[in-house]
Amino acid sequence: PWKVAAAVVVPPYAAKFSIFAAISQQETVPYTNRAHRVLLTSSEECEFGDENFNYWKTKNGKDILGPSDPRTVLVRRIASDIIHGVRRLFPNNSVHDDDVKQGKMVVRPQTGHLNDLNWEVIVVDDDQVKAFSSMGGKIVIHTGYLKHLKTDAEIATVIGHEAAHVVARNSMELLRSIPFYELMPFSRRAELEADHIGLMIMAAAGFDPRVAPEFRKKIEEIIGDTKLMDYIGTHPSFETRSRMLSQKEVMEEALELYKQERMRREKCQSVSSLWWNVLGYRSC
C-alpha cells in the first residue's frame, strides 16, 4: 500500500513522502500480521510520545479530571485490566529494535515496543463522544463518552480499541504522512484493525467480547451514522464495525480467550491460591 500511496501523492508532498519512505522500516502488526512501514523505532516513539503528551496535558490541564475523581478511578481500573490483557495476549518473545537495526530478517509480529511503554490513561471533562490514543501508550477518554457507557465491558470496548492502536503502532505508520490521510481507505482500515485487536484484548482481559458489536450499534443510534462513512469518513460506519466484530470465526476466537481468562481467575480465587497469597506468594 505504501507504494500505491507514493504514486498518488501530489507535489509538494511527494518529496516529503519519499524522504519518510526512505527512513521508514517495515514491521508486522501483532495479531493481524499486516505488513506496514513505520517512521520511528519504539524507543524513539516512546520518547516523542511522552514529550507530546506532556505538552498536551499542559495545554488542556484545566479540563483533566484528577486521579481521585470517581470517573478517573473507574476508567483507570478498567484500563489496568486492559493493559494486563495486552501483556497476556502479546508476551515478551518478539522482535526488538536491535534486531531491525542489525538487519535481521523480521518474520514475526513486532511486540517489543510494548515492553517499555509508559501507559497513561486520562479522563477529560468534555461533552464530546470521543476517545483517542497517541504515541507511547497514552489514552484519553472524554466524559461525554462516559455518559453513554453503562457497564465496565462497554468502557473496556473503548479502551481496548485505543490500546489496540498502540499495539499496532498505527500512529507511526508511514501512510499517515499522506495529505488527507484520515479521509482515505487506509485510515478506515486501521480502525477496523483496531476493532479486531481490541476485541481480543478485552476478551483476554476478562470482559465479555459479545458486548462490543452491540455497543457499536448503540453508539450508532446515539451520534448518528450512515453507510457513507465507509467511503468518505475518518472511521467506517458503526454498522460495518459491528458486522465485522460479529463474524463467527472472530467472535469464537475472542470467546475462547474470554473463557481462558475467566478460568484463570476462578483458579486464582481457589482456596489453594488464597493460601499461597497468605504465605506471601502471588499465584496470579
Side-chain angles (χ1 to χ4, degrees), residues 13-253:
Y13 299 100
K16 176 182 176 182
F17 185 85
S18 298
I19 293 172
F20 284 163
I23 64 174
S24 66
Q25 59 192 32
Q26 182 164 314
E27 288 189 353
T28 306
V29 176
Y31 215 89
T32 63
N33 294 319
R34 175 176 65 89
H36 67 157
R37 300 189 73 83
V38 295
L39 294 173
L40 299 177
T41 66
S42 59
S43 57
E44 291 169 340
E45 178 186 0
C46 286
E47 182 179 355
F48 194 51
D50 286 345
E51 292 178 1
N52 273 6
F53 200 60
N54 286 335
Y55 172 77
W56 180 90
K57 287 189 294 185
T58 300
K59 185 177 179 182
N60 296 275
K62 63 181 178 62
D63 297 321
I64 297 174
L65 300 185
S68 61
D69 187 286
R71 291 163 291 184
T72 300
V73 173
L74 172 65
V75 167
R76 287 184 173 175
R77 173 176 61 79
I78 296 171
S80 178
D81 286 339
I82 289 294
I83 292 167
H84 284 300
V86 170
R87 291 168 180 161
R88 294 188 191 105
L89 201 58
F90 306 107
N92 181 16
N93 60 356
S94 217
V95 179
H96 293 259
D97 287 346
D98 289 342
D99 296 320
V100 177
K101 290 177 180 177
Q102 293 172 15
K104 295 180 181 179
M105 181 64 70
V106 176
V107 294
R108 290 173 293 159
Q110 282 88 336
T111 57
H113 66 285
L114 300 175
N115 299 330
D116 301 319
L117 286 177
N118 180 23
W119 290 97
E120 191 169 356
V121 181
I122 283 178
V123 180
V124 173
D125 188 10
D126 190 288
D127 288 336
Q128 293 185 79
V129 181
K130 180 181 178 181
F132 65 90
S133 59
S134 63
M135 296 174 289
K138 316 303 181 184
I139 297 175
V140 175
I141 184 167
H142 290 212
T143 54
Y145 216 152
L146 291 178
K147 291 177 182 177
H148 302 292
L149 305 179
K150 304 303 182 184
T151 67
D152 288 3
E154 288 184 341
I155 298 175
T157 301
V158 175
I159 299 176
H161 173 89
E162 299 305 335
H165 277 307
V166 176
V167 169
R169 299 192 74 195
N170 290 140
S171 63
M172 285 290 96
E173 291 198 16
L174 169 65
L175 292 175
R176 291 188 68 88
S177 63
I178 300 173
F180 310 111
Y181 164 84
E182 291 188 346
L183 296 178
M184 299 181 74
F186 310 121
S187 175
R188 295 186 288 277
R189 179 192 63 191
E191 295 302 328
L192 290 175
E193 181 176 64
D195 278 349
H196 186 169
I197 298 174
L199 184 74
M200 303 305 166
I201 291 173
M202 70 178 289
F207 297 98
D208 190 340
R210 290 169 291 193
V211 171
E214 295 304 316
F215 169 74
R216 295 300 178 195
K217 292 179 182 178
K218 173 182 176 178
I219 297 301
E220 176 184 6
E221 296 174 359
I222 291 171
I223 68 175
D225 196 26
T226 69
K227 286 291 290 181
L228 193 60
M229 296 294 289
D230 289 332
Y231 305 98
I232 63 171
T234 59
H235 291 57
S237 67
F238 285 110
E239 177 185 343
T240 294
R241 297 174 73 175
S242 178
R243 186 178 68 253
M244 295 294 288
L245 292 174
S246 299
Q247 292 179 93
K248 184 174 183 292
E249 64 276 12
V250 173
M251 186 54 66
E252 285 181 349
E253 187 171 3

